[in-house]
Structures are given as structure tokens and as C-alpha cells.
């Protein structure tokens, strides 16, 4: 019975191990199938071969280090003796269980222990495969550092490899020494503690050699540390300073020699057997580390540098400025003067109509709420994000806001969250909504170019493939081409169904694959489902944030991928990717970006099929050149991007924000001005809603000074630190061959140019605007101010701020006013055109009746309001049945206003009304 029990136990262990192995193998095989479905088999093979090769190499070397060191302890374990006071030799008696350790048993034990330790530690370094590949395929930068005269490529590609090898050897050496010491301690604890080196020649030789190797390796580590001085954060600026070069560099060179000397002394001591020399050498290294590694640099800093800091640090400040500007591409910024005159005329406004008609009046935060109310249609649909882009629409270059309608399975009703619904039926989002950034309906709502389900377009832009299988909110895998038809979109009270026609995903073409998918995805229902066929496809890694990182984890990705409508009517995602490193000498680091960044890659993902292409946008970047050498089949030249998609690449906000923050300091090129921070800039603040926030970069279409046609730009103004006036504005170009160019326009220093917060203060101080805002905020609604935009036109500046109104019971902000500030004039009108006419065309301007600040008319009687509400409800139901989603949303909006007015007339006892009510005569 006992034997049977043991057999069952062994069988259970084997079964558990088998399940784990199958699950791991299944996941690897599924990844292989997914990469293959994207045509990226070579990427998968290169990555996995690199990882397995590196782990095998690390494991093999660790194994040899552990096993050889343990073999040296073999005789000490099998023949245990020690000397008591140097007189009496005692032979220890071994227990029976220790007899196994003699002969082949001990070797087998060491073999197993070494293999286990090697396997354990090899996993730590296997993710460093890209470091090895970068070392093998390194590309020079063509820039040398000023301290050692080495190409920057040495620091980016070669030095990390050397540091990896150093850390690997040091870890193996230390662990081997600890393991050997533990064996010697267990073998003879009395002898080990009393005088281990006096009597046992084998432990003495073994441990001495290990200690000598440690110091020899430490000498190399000190040499590597000298290069790390180029990233020193301790000086006036980032990078090696006066103390680093004249004190720390010297100390590291001395410590390297002392460490090597200690290694030689320890080896010599094996022959002269003078233990005190070992102690003296170790003490010498510690004393040297303290004296010239800590005290000496501190004295140089305090008595040499600090009394004459600028003179001593000046050349290193210049290095920091030069290399930081190179690393962030700030040295490529073109500078121009901008006079900031106030001489605009109505003719200038008309001449720059493309700029004026593309001013973004809709901010994405309030617009997202409005989109959600008007266009999400069902609870399970969501607009995760809104993106700003530009299109040629009906012959005009227009800036628009576009939002993809994605499906969130978690928002299905609880009773509908079944396996079939989540995996087979509700598989994709549907369509997009698009509106121009500057147009508004009489009700204060956006005018849609594309809206509703199915997408209805009122322009020459058509969506022919509206299904969104891959997006930002699609986190779960689904199965298509099954016996269950997929839900496509709602149509009135019925649903329309479809079958996937694409090439995305992995086919479940056999029972074997079905079993592996069940194991790999951890979903046993895949084995039981009757709706699957041999043509069924599993769509994996549908979240584009995760999928691009799975393919190329060594790139850094922008937070905001955006959707594009191709000329073929299909939907594509464009994801910006960056090459970054923290190894660029003397360059100031920024959190999350290292100290070097290039937007070298644009990833295009098909929203229907999930296919992705990595286009190289900066062929001069050595990092992307190296990655292209490592994975040549992954990257494609930008010239091969379809022309219709290339028109939609845009300069990314994340990168522009980093460059702007850096340039706020590094526009100062004079070392003394930089040292004193005399001219440091800041990114201005603005009022958004009722809170003060830092301005974010904003896209706009405008005609730059001296240019003939408008272009799509990303821009941001600057103010001096701790001051509110504006000193410059920076823009990035996105169109055609000028993509990526950075332009800086500086204002005259002798002229006051209002900054955003000064404009906000002027708006607050305008008595007419202030009175109107107070009135609106007291009538069951609230106002909040949108982003303040600084718009250059000709040689002057316009400040434009949208104003939104939202009822307390509503989640739908309405764009009700536009505030324009020019020179000394502050005006607020229902539209931007009306505000500009009021400022620049007084003779031809007549105020619209709706802008008069007159009291509101008295409310309708309650009976009429009830009748009106019923009529609107019936009308909304009819439009719902007809599938008229736009009309349905507008009618609900009208119904909401009626209900709000009814609630304000029915006042509970003791409660004040939300707004004044005109007295009614009895019987009226």
C-alpha cells in the first residue's frame, strides 16, 4: 500500500509538471502563430533565438563557475580533519546519510545544485538580449565626447554591454565564493572559524584565488566607472564637472591600480604564506577609497570649485548645453523674430481665412462629453479618445476632431455577459464620428461631418469599412467566422449581424490548435464550444497599446495613437514610437525619456485586420539604424507608406512637450546667462473651467509668416519664469517635406506682449462678460472656459477662448460664446466670425439679436410644458424606430430643456427656485 501511495504521488507530480510544460509551450506556440499572422515570423525568431541563446550562454557560464568551484571543495567534504591548537588531529565520523556525499554521489549533488543555481540566475539576464544585439550591430553617432574622445555610440551600445558582462562575472564570482565558503564551513566548522588559512591548504588556495579574481574584476569595474562620470548629477549641470574630472577621475584610476595590486598580493601570498599581507592589501583599498574617493573630491569641490564656481565650471556648462540640444534635436530649431504688432485689418482677417476658419473652438474634454451623449448610441459603445487631425474635405483643408466608437464588453448588461456574447458575438466597435473644430449648431452642439450608425457622411469623406476589431479599448480576445453571427450594429429596435471578412487572427484549423489555445489562453470553454469551425479565427492582442509593445518592446510609445480614415474608406491607427536612451553624454535627462529621444518610427495598424507596419521616419537616427540591423524585416522606409496615410502623420504632442520643457532652459546659449538662469522661460498657465492649469501644446492650421499656404502645426507659447508676459512661441510643422521642422518666433524684449494669464485677467475684468457669466451661473447652469489659444496672424496675435454652458442636470456642454482679445479690445459673441467682425469691421457689423443681454422671457404655463414634453417624447420614439440617431439626440436635448423648466417651476416648500419666474395672473 505504501508503494502504491508513493507511485500515486510521483504520478501527480509528473502530471503537474506536464501541465505546466504544456501551458508554457502552448503560449509560445500561440505567440508564434500570432507573429506569423502578421508576417513577422523573423521578428519572433530573432527575439526568441536571442533570448534563448543569451540565457543558455549565461546559464552555461554560471554552471561552469558554480560546478568547478564546488568540485574544488570535494576533498574537504570527503576527508574532514582539523587541528586542535595545532597539536592533535582528529578524524571525524560521518553519519550514514553523509556517506552518499562520497565519490559519485557528491559529484551528482554538485551537478544538480550547479544546474539549479545556473537556471535560476540565467533568467535574470535573459531580457538583456537587446543589449547584446546592440553591441553586435552598433552604429556610430559621428559625435565624440569631450572627455575621452569616444564616439557617442560607444556609450549607447558598447558600454552597456561591458557593464552587463562585468555585473554577470561579479555576480557569478561572489555567489561561487559564498557557496564554496558555506561548503567549507559545513565540512569543518571548528577549523573554519579557528584558523581556516593556517592548516587547510586547499581552502586557502581556493578562497584566495576567488578573492584575487574579485579584486582584479573590481579593477576593471573602476575603469568602467570612469565613463559613468559623463552622467554625473552632482555638479552645476548634468555631466562631468570640474571635480569629477580633476578629482574623481583621478581617484578611480588610482583605485583601479590599487585593486589590481591587491589581487597580485593575494596571489603572491599563496607562496609566501603571509596572511597579514592580504589584510594589508584589503585595508589599503578601503583606506584609498575613503581618502581619494570621498575626502579628496570633497575638498576640491569646497576649496577649489565653490569659491570660483562659474570660472571652473564654464567649459562643462557649455558641454551640457551643446550635448543636451543635440540629444533633443533642439539644435535644429530655426529662430525668427515676431514683431507682435497690433495693426491687423479686416482685409488681413479675410486674407487669412484658412487660419481663422480652423481655429479650434471645441476642446476635447467638453466635446468628449457631448459626443458621448449624441453619438455613443448604446451603453456598450464608448469614445475612449478624441483625436485632432486634418483632411482635405470638399476641396478645403480642414482641421477636424475624430472619435472611433469602440465596444466595451464589460458594459454589456449583466445578463448578456455570457461566454458566447463576449467571445463570439460582440466582437467589434463600429464607425467614427467626425466634426470640424470650429463649427457649431444654433443649439451650441457640434456640426457633424460623419455621424450615426451606420456612418452617415455629409462630405466627400466616406467610411466603407467601419468595423473596429483592433483599438485602444479592445482588451479581450474574440473568435470570428463561427456558426454564431457577429453583432454588427443596432438599427432601430433590431440589430444587424455580420461575418468577419478579413485576414486577421489565427485560424483554429485543427483539434490540436484548439487544445493549445485552450491551454494557452486559459479558457477550457474553447474545448466545449460547438460553434467553432476549422475556418474560425482567434483575434489576439487586439489592444494596440499592447500589441506594438509585444512586437517591439525596445521602443518607447506615445500615449495617444490616433485613427485615420484612408482613401480606401478603411480605418487605420497611427502610433508614434520613439528611440530613447539614457546614455547620451552630458545631456540633461528628463523623467521617463532618458536623455536622448527621436520620433523615429510611425506604426500603422489596420483597425480591421490588425496588421501593423513600422515605418522609419528618421533615417539619420543611429538607434533606429541599429534596430533595423537587428530586425531588418520589421522596419520599412517612410517612402513606402501609402500617400493618403502619409498626409496624416503629425508631430506628436508628447515629444513636443518634452522638447518645449527642455528648450525653456536650453534656449540660453551663453554659459554665464545659463549659469545664473537669467533668461529661463516657462510654459504658461491658463484658466480651464475654474482652475488654473499649465497650457498644453495645441494643433492648428495656419499660415506661417512668409509662407504662401496654410499648414498643420503644433504650437505652444512661452513666458519668463515667474512672470506672465509672453516672450516667444514654438511650433512644429507636420506637412509634407517640412515635417519635423521646429520654428521659434521671439517677441521684441522692449515690448509688452500679453501672456495667457494676463489675458484671462482682462477677460475677468471686463464688466459685460463678467456680468453675463454671473447671470448664467445663477440659472441652473454653469459656465466654464475652454483652452485659451494664441493665434498668430500676419505679424499680430489674436487670443481666442471658447465659452461653454452646461445645465446642472445635463452632461452635454454647449459652445455658447467665443471670447476674442486683440490689443485693448475684449469682445464676446456667439461665433468667432461675429467677434472678429465686431473688432475689425465696425462699419459692417450688426450685433445678432441673440447676443443682447436682455432678461429672459417668462416661462410657459406648466400645462403647456407637459404637453410639449409628451410631444417631444413621442417624436423621439419615432426617430429611434427609424434609426435617425442624430434627430433622436437633438429631440432628447429639447425634451431635457422642457423638463428642466418644469422642475424649476415646481418648487418644493422651503426651497428657493433655480431662477426667477415671471409672476402669472390667475387663470393665465
Amino acid at each position: 500500500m505504501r508503494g502504491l501511495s508513493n507511485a500515486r504521488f510521483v504520478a501527480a507530480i509528473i502530471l503537474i509538471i506536464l501541465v505546466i510544460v504544456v501551458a508554457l509551450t502552448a503560449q509560445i506556440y500561440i505567440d508564434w502563430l500570432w507573429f506569423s499572422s502578421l508576417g513577422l515570423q523573423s521578428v519572433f525568431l530573432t527575439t526568441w533565438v536571442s533570448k534563448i541563446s543569451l540565457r543558455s550562454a549565461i546559464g552555461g557560464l554560471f554552471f561552469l563557475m558554480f560546478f568547478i568551484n564546488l568540485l574544488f571543495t570535494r576533498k574537504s567534504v570527503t576527508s574532514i580533519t582539523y587541528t586542535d591548537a595545532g597539536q592533535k588531529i582528529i578524524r571525524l565520523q560521518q553519519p550514514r546519510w553523509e556517506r552518499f556525499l562520497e565519490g559519485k554521489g557528491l559529484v551528482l549533488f554538485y551537478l544538480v545544485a550547479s544546474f539549479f543555481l545556473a537556471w535560476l540566475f540565467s533568467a535574470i539576464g535573459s531580457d538583456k538580449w537587446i543589449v547584446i544585439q546592440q553591441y553586435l550591430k552598433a552604429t556610430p553617432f559621428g559625435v565624440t565626447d569631450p572627455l575621452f574622445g569616444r564616439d557617442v555610440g560607444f556609450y549607447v551600445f558598447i558600454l552597456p554591454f561591458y557593464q552587463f558582462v562585468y555585473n554577470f562575472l561579479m555576480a557569478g564570482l561572489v555567489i561561487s565564493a559564498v557557496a564554496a565558503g558555506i561548503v567549507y564551513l559545513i565540512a569543518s566548522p571548528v577549523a573554519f572559524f579557528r584558523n581556516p588559512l593556517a592548516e587547510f591548504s586547499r581552502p586557502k588556495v581556493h578562497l584566495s584565488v576567488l578573492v584575487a579574481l574579485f579584486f582584479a574584476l573590481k579593477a576593471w569595474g573602476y575603469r568602467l566607472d570612469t565613463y559613468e562620470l559623463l552622467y554625473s548629477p552632482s555638479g552645476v549641470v548634468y555631466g562631468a564637472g570640474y571635480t569629477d574630472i580633476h578629482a574623481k577621475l583621478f581617484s578611480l584610476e588610482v583605485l583601479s591600480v590599487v585593486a589590481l595590486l591587491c589581487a597580485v598580493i593575494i596571489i603572491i601570498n599563496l607562496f609566501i604564506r603571509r596572511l597579514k599581507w592580504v589584510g594589508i592589501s584589503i585595508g589599503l583599498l578601503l583606506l584609498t577609497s575613503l581618502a581619494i574617493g570621498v575626502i579628496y573630491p570633497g575638498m576640491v569641490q569646497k576649496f577649489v570649485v565653490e569659491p570660483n564656481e562659474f570660472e571652473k565650471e564654464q567649459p562643462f556648462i557649455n558641454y551640457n548645453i551643446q550635448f543636451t540640444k543635440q540629444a533633443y534635436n533642439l539644435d535644429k530649431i530655426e529662430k525668427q523674430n515676431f514683431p507682435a504688432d497690433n495693426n491687423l485689418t479686416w482685409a488681413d482677417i479675410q486674407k487669412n481665412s484658412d487660419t481663422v476658419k480652423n481655429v479650434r473652438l471645441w476642446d476635447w474634454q467638453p466635446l468628449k462629453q457631448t459626443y458621448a451623449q449624441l453619438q455613443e448610441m448604446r451603453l456598450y459603445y464608448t469614445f475612449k479618445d478624441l483625436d485632432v487631425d486634418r483632411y482635405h474635405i470638399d476641396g478645403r483643408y480642414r482641421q477636424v476632431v475624430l472619435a472611433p466608437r469602440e465596444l466595451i464588453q464589460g458594459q454589456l448588461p449583466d445578463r448578456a455577459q455570457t461566454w458566447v456574447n463576449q467571445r463570439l458575438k460582440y466582437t467589434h466597435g463600429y464607425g467614427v464620428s467626425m466634426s470640424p473644430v470650429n463649427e457649431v449648431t444654433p443649439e451650441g452642439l457640434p456640426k457633424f461631418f460623419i455621424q450615426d450608425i451606420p456612418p452617415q457622411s455629409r462630405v466627400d469623406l466616406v467610411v466603407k469599412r467601419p468595423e473596429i476589431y483592433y483599438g485602444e479599448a479592445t482588451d479581450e480576445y474574440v473568435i470570428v467566422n463561427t456558426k454564431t453571427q457577429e453583432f454588427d450594429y443596432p438599427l432601430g429596435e433590431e440589430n444587424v449581424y455580420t461575418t468577419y471578412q478579413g485576414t486577421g487572427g489565427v485560424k483554429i484549423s485543427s483539434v490540436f490548435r484548439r487544445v493549445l489555445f485552450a491551454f494557452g489562453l486559459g479558457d477550457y470553454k474553447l474545448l466545449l464550444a460547438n460553434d467553432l469551425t476549422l475556418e474560425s479565427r482567434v483575434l489576439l492582442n487586439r489592444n494596440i497599446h499592447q500589441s506594438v509593445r509585444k512586437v517591439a518592446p525596445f521602443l518607447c510609445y506615445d500615449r495617444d495613437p490616433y485613427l485615420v480614415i484612408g482613401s480606401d474608406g478603411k480605418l487605420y491607427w497611427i502610433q508614434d514610437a520613439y528611440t530613447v536612451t539614457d546614455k547620451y553624454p552630458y545631456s540633461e535627462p528628463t523623467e521617463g525619456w532618458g536623455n536622448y529621444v527621436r520620433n523615429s518610427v510611425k506604426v500603422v495598424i489596420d483597425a480591421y485586420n490588425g496588421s501593423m507596419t513600422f515605418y522609419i521616419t528618421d533615417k539619420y537616427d543611429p538607434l533606429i539604424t541599429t534596430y533595423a540591423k537587428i530586425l531588418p524585416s520589421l522596419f520599412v522606409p517612410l517612402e513606402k507608406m501609402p500617400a493618403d496615410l502619409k498626409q496624416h502623420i503629425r508631430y506628436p504632442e508628447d515629444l513636443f512637450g518634452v522638447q518645449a520643457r527642455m528648450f525653456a532652459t536650453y534656449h540660453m546659449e551663453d554659459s554665464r546667462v545659463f549659469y545664473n538662469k537669467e533668461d529661463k522661460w516657462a510654459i504658461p498657465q491658463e484658466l480651464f473651467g475654474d482652475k488654473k492649469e499649465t497650457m498644453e501644446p495645441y494643433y492648428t492650421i495656419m499660415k506661417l509668416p512668409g509662407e504662401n499656404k496654410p499648414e498643420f502645426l503644433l504650437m505652444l507659447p512661452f513666458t519668463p519664469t515667474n512672470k506672465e508676459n509672453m516672450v516667444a512661441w514654438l511650433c512644429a510643422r507636420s506637412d509634407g517635406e517640412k515635417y519635423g521642422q521646429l520654428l521659434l518666433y521671439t517677441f521684441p524684449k522692449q515690448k509688452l506682449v500679453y501672456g495667457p494669464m494676463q489675458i484671462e485677467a482682462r477677460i475677468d475684468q471686463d464688466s459685460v462678460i463678467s456680468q453675463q457669466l454671473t447671470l448664467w451661473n445663477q440659472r441652473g447652469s454653469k459656465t466654464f472656459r475652454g483652452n485659451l489659444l494664441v493665434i498668430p496672424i500676419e505679424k499680430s496675435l489674436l487670443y481666442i477662448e471658447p465659452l461653454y454652458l452646461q445645465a446642472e442636470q445635463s452632461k452635454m456642454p454647449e459652445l455658447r460664446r467665443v471670447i476674442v482679445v486683440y490689443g485693448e479690445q475684449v469682445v464676446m459673441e456667439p461665433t468667432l466670425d461675429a467677434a472678429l467682425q465686431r473688432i475689425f469691421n465696425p462699419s459692417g457689423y450688426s450685433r445678432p439679436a441673440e447676443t443682447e443681454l436682455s432678461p429672459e422671457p417668462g416661462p410657459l404655463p406648466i400645462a403647456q410644458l407637459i404637453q410639449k414634453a409628451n410631444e417631444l417624447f413621442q417624436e423621439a420614439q419615432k426617430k429611434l424606430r427609424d434609426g435617425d440617431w442624430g434627430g433622436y439626440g437633438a429631440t432628447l436635448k429639447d425634451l431635457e430643456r422642457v423638463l428642466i423648466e418644469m422642475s424649476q417651476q415646481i418648487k418644493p416648500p422651503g426651497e428657493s427656485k433655480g431662477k426667477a419666474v415671471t409672476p402669472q395672473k390667475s387663470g393665465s
Side-chain angles (χ1 to χ4, degrees):
M1 293 294 292
R2 185 175 181 180
L4 182 61
S5 177
N6 289 337
R8 289 177 177 174
F9 176 76
V10 172
I13 294 296
I14 294 175
L15 181 61
I16 292 173
I17 294 175
L18 183 62
V19 170
I20 293 174
V21 170
V22 170
L24 293 175
T25 305
Q27 185 58 59
I28 295 173
Y29 182 64
I30 289 172
D31 286 344
W32 160 256
L33 292 175
W34 181 70
F35 274 85
S36 298
S37 71
L38 299 174
L40 300 175
Q41 301 95 318
S42 61
V43 175
F44 178 86
L45 287 175
T46 300
T47 302
W48 270 96
V49 169
S50 299
K51 287 183 177 181
I52 293 173
S53 299
L54 178 58
R55 184 164 186 178
S56 300
I58 294 175
L61 291 173
F62 264 131
F63 173 79
L64 289 175
M65 295 174 71
F66 296 152
F67 187 61
I68 292 173
N69 277 283
L70 289 174
L71 282 181
F72 273 111
T73 69
R74 182 182 175 192
K75 287 189 177 181
S76 298
V77 174
T78 57
S79 179
I80 304 176
T81 61
Y82 70 93
T83 300
D84 185 12
Q87 298 177 359
K88 186 177 181 180
I89 298 178
I90 301 175
R91 178 77 176 179
L92 296 180
Q93 298 295 325
Q94 293 174 294
R96 289 182 179 179
W97 66 271
E98 289 184 351
R99 293 176 186 173
F100 171 76
L101 298 179
E102 296 200 11
K104 296 181 179 179
L106 181 61
V107 175
L108 180 61
F109 175 75
Y110 282 168
L111 195 68
V112 173
S114 299
F115 179 81
F116 175 75
L117 288 173
W119 176 82
L120 187 65
F121 284 96
S122 68
I124 298 175
S126 62
D127 62 336
K128 298 292 184 180
W129 68 273
I130 194 67
V131 174
I132 310 301
Q133 288 283 11
Q134 286 178 335
Y135 171 77
L136 297 174
K137 307 289 177 62
T139 302
F141 275 65
V143 178
T144 56
D145 78 274
L147 182 55
F148 300 105
R150 288 184 174 271
D151 187 89
V152 171
F154 168 80
Y155 300 97
V156 176
F157 302 123
I158 310 301
L159 184 59
F161 172 75
Y162 288 163
Q163 292 171 329
F164 169 74
V165 173
Y166 170 77
N167 292 329
F168 159 71
L169 293 176
M170 184 63 77
L173 190 62
V174 170
I175 295 169
S176 297
V178 171
I182 291 174
V183 171
Y184 289 131
L185 175 62
I186 295 175
S188 184
V190 177
F192 187 87
F193 281 112
R194 288 189 176 181
N195 199 352
L197 297 180
E199 188 66 28
F200 296 105
S201 59
R202 183 172 295 275
K204 171 186 176 181
V205 172
H206 187 191
L207 295 178
S208 295
V209 169
L210 291 178
V211 174
L213 289 174
F214 172 83
F215 283 112
L217 193 59
K218 189 64 179 174
W220 185 39
Y222 284 128
R223 296 297 302 178
L224 294 179
D225 287 344
T226 60
Y227 297 116
E228 288 293 320
L229 293 176
L230 293 172
Y231 316 109
S232 172
S234 59
V236 173
V237 292
Y238 189 82
Y242 184 93
T243 300
D244 295 308
I245 292 178
H246 293 86
K248 292 182 180 180
L249 178 59
F250 170 74
S251 67
L252 288 172
E253 291 173 342
V254 171
L255 287 171
S256 178
V257 174
V258 172
L260 195 59
L261 183 63
C262 290
V264 173
I265 292 175
I266 292 173
I267 294 298
I268 294 175
N269 184 67
L270 295 175
F271 303 99
I272 64 176
R273 300 192 178 188
R274 298 287 181 86
L275 184 61
K276 64 180 181 180
W277 288 107
V278 178
I280 290 173
S281 62
I282 296 174
L284 178 62
L285 181 63
L286 295 175
L287 183 62
T288 305
S289 298
L290 178 63
I292 69 170
V294 179
I295 297 176
Y296 176 58
M299 294 178 65
V300 170
Q301 179 68 26
K302 186 172 183 63
F303 297 107
V304 178
V305 176
E306 290 183 4
N308 308 281
E309 189 171 57
F310 175 72
E311 287 73 17
K312 298 296 182 183
E313 299 287 6
Q314 183 179 12
F316 311 110
I317 294 174
N318 288 328
Y319 295 151
N320 175 260
I321 295 173
Q322 175 189 350
F323 281 82
T324 299
K325 295 182 73 170
Q326 289 174 2
Y328 292 94
N329 247 357
L330 304 181
D331 57 335
K332 301 293 195 305
I333 294 178
E334 301 177 20
K335 300 178 182 178
Q336 299 183 26
N337 294 323
F338 192 89
D341 295 330
N342 289 326
N343 56 4
L344 279 180
T345 64
W346 180 244
D348 293 325
I349 298 298
Q350 292 177 315
K351 179 182 175 182
N352 290 271
S353 61
D354 287 315
T355 298
V356 173
K357 292 180 180 179
N358 282 288
V359 172
R360 179 172 59 81
L361 301 179
W362 282 106
D363 297 327
W364 71 268
Q365 295 98 322
L367 186 58
K368 185 178 180 181
Q369 297 182 51
T370 303
Y371 264 45
Q373 294 297 312
L374 295 179
Q375 288 292 303
E376 282 186 353
M377 307 302 188
R378 292 288 191 270
L379 290 175
Y380 41 77
Y381 285 132
T382 186
F383 292 115
K384 184 175 177 62
D385 195 15
L386 276 67
D387 301 307
V388 176
D389 201 355
R390 74 286 196 196
Y391 289 80
H392 288 278
I393 296 176
D394 295 336
R396 293 175 55 195
Y397 197 41
R398 301 295 301 271
Q399 185 179 190
V400 300
V401 175
L402 185 147
R405 188 183 292 105
E406 297 193 62
L407 188 146
I408 307 295
Q409 294 176 341
Q411 294 178 188
L412 289 169
D414 292 340
R415 65 181 180 276
Q417 293 194 23
T418 63
W419 187 87
V420 171
N421 280 346
Q422 293 180 324
R423 295 288 179 259
L424 311 182
K425 189 174 181 180
Y426 291 91
T427 57
H428 58 275
Y430 197 88
V432 299
S433 293
M434 176 191 285
S435 62
V437 297
N438 64 322
E439 292 189 17
V440 61
T441 67
E443 295 79 19
L445 302 176
K447 281 186 177 180
F448 287 102
F449 283 165
I450 302 176
Q451 66 185 110
D452 298 340
I453 298 178
Q456 303 297 315
S457 176
R458 64 182 184 90
V459 294
D460 59 354
L461 195 62
V462 180
V463 180
K464 298 178 181 178
R465 179 58 76 182
E467 298 90 346
I468 302 175
Y469 284 88
Y470 297 84
E472 294 188 81
T474 49
D475 296 325
E476 303 294 335
Y477 78 89
V478 295
I479 308 173
V480 297
N481 292 353
T482 66
K483 296 177 183 178
T484 299
Q485 280 198 309
E486 302 170 55
F487 166 75
D488 202 23
Y489 60 87
L491 185 62
E493 297 180 355
E494 299 180 353
N495 293 329
V496 176
Y497 294 88
T498 188
T499 300
Y500 184 67
Q501 303 294 322
T503 59
V506 179
K507 276 189 176 183
I508 308 177
S509 56
S510 64
V511 176
F512 172 73
R513 283 194 179 185
R514 192 165 175 173
V515 172
L516 284 181
F517 274 117
F519 271 99
L521 299 176
D523 191 347
Y524 72 92
K525 292 182 180 178
L526 279 167
L527 298 173
L528 306 176
N530 295 322
D531 291 336
L532 275 58
T533 70
L534 296 181
E535 296 299 319
S536 297
R537 292 174 174 267
V538 182
L539 306 188
L540 303 165
N541 303 313
R542 299 196 302 136
N543 187 301
I544 60 174
H545 293 281
Q546 298 171 3
S547 60
V548 293
R549 287 166 175 80
K550 192 175 184 69
V551 172
F554 44 83
L555 296 176
C556 181
Y557 293 93
D558 195 89
R559 295 173 298 173
D560 183 27
Y562 57 99
L563 198 73
V564 170
I565 303 174
S567 59
D568 56 0
K570 295 182 63 176
L571 304 178
Y572 300 90
W573 295 96
I574 296 182
Q575 168 75 70
D576 285 284
Y578 309 100
T579 52
V580 298
T581 180
D582 59 357
K583 294 298 182 181
Y584 203 91
Y586 274 108
S587 175
E588 186 75 24
T590 184
E591 185 177 356
W593 294 83
N595 64 359
Y596 171 94
V597 59
R598 292 289 187 274
N599 176 214
S600 297
V601 178
K602 304 281 187 182
V603 189
V604 175
I605 305 119
D606 189 317
Y608 190 70
N609 291 318
S611 60
M612 59 182 72
T613 307
F614 289 71
Y615 294 97
I616 295 178
T617 55
D618 187 352
K619 59 185 178 182
Y620 301 107
D621 173 28
L623 269 169
I624 197 59
T625 302
T626 298
Y627 291 140
K629 293 177 184 178
I630 298 170
L631 299 169
S633 63
L634 177 61
F635 297 102
V636 177
L638 182 63
E639 291 75 20
K640 293 187 177 181
M641 180 184 287
D644 60 323
L645 296 181
K646 192 183 295 186
Q647 293 177 357
H648 293 283
I649 62 173
R650 65 184 193 184
Y651 203 87
E653 288 183 75
D654 282 356
L655 174 61
F656 188 77
V658 170
Q659 291 176 313
R661 290 192 293 272
M662 277 293 168
F663 193 70
T665 299
Y666 284 89
H667 72 279
M668 297 180 287
E669 298 179 347
D670 183 272
S671 55
R672 184 174 292 276
V673 174
F674 186 95
Y675 173 76
N676 294 318
K677 299 296 186 288
E678 297 175 15
D679 191 26
K680 187 176 181 181
W681 295 348
I683 297 175
Q685 292 188 312
E686 63 172 343
L687 285 179
F688 184 76
D690 56 357
K691 294 186 296 185
K692 189 182 292 187
E693 294 183 357
T694 302
M695 287 189 74
E696 296 181 353
Y698 51 91
Y699 292 103
T700 188
I701 290 178
M702 61 172 285
K703 187 166 62 176
L704 287 170
E707 296 292 337
N708 297 321
K709 62 180 183 179
E711 51 187 294
F712 192 61
L713 305 171
L714 181 62
M715 61 179 297
L716 189 67
F718 290 108
T719 61
T721 299
N722 299 324
K723 292 186 178 180
E724 302 294 350
N725 61 292
M726 200 157 54
V727 292
W729 58 279
L730 180 70
C731 73
R733 308 172 89 165
S734 293
D735 288 350
E737 295 180 355
K738 297 176 181 178
Y739 174 85
Q741 292 183 7
L742 296 175
L743 302 176
L744 178 74
Y745 291 87
T746 57
F747 302 129
K749 293 188 177 181
Q750 70 276 9
K751 178 184 292 187
L752 171 63
V753 179
Y754 288 117
M757 284 306 299
Q758 291 175 322
I759 296 297
E760 300 282 15
R762 292 184 59 194
I763 294 173
D764 288 334
Q765 293 165 5
D766 186 277
S767 58
V768 176
I769 296 177
S770 176
Q771 176 187 359
Q772 185 65 64
L773 296 182
T774 302
L775 183 65
W776 277 330
N777 283 322
Q778 291 178 350
R779 293 186 171 180
S781 60
K782 62 178 180 180
T783 62
F784 61 93
R785 283 141 70 163
N787 295 130
L788 178 67
L789 305 180
V790 182
I791 305 297
I793 296 182
E794 296 295 328
K795 298 180 180 180
S796 303
L797 294 175
L798 283 179
Y799 303 87
I800 300 173
E801 184 173 84
L803 183 68
Y804 304 95
L805 182 66
Q806 182 174 353
E808 291 182 357
Q809 297 89 345
S810 172
K811 296 182 180 179
M812 194 185 311
E814 300 171 357
L815 176 57
R816 283 301 184 182
R817 293 292 185 272
V818 178
I819 303 172
V820 177
V821 180
Y822 174 74
E824 299 302 319
Q825 301 182 70
V826 181
V827 301
M828 181 175 72
E829 295 293 335
T831 66
L832 175 60
D833 185 64
L836 293 175
Q837 285 196 48
R838 181 175 168 190
I839 293 176
F840 297 104
N841 192 27
S843 60
Y845 170 74
S846 59
R847 178 185 293 272
E850 59 180 292
T851 64
E852 298 293 340
L853 303 179
S854 56
E856 295 185 353
L860 293 173
I862 192 67
Q864 294 184 24
L865 289 175
I866 294 174
Q867 180 181 356
K868 183 65 174 176
N870 285 327
E871 292 173 354
L872 289 171
F873 177 75
Q874 296 300 327
E875 182 181 350
Q877 291 295 103
K878 181 179 183 301
K879 291 181 178 180
L880 178 62
R881 289 191 296 270
D882 294 340
D884 181 5
W885 295 104
Y888 176 70
T891 305
L892 284 184
K893 183 63 181 175
D894 294 337
L895 177 59
E896 180 184 35
R897 291 195 184 95
V898 173
L899 294 175
I900 291 173
E901 188 170 351
M902 289 173 61
S903 66
Q904 291 172 346
Q905 290 197 39
I906 303 174
K907 182 183 70 172
E911 183 180 320
S912 61
K913 296 181 182 179
K915 67 176 187 178
V917 178
T918 305
Q920 302 286 326
K921 290 185 179 181
S922 176
S924 63

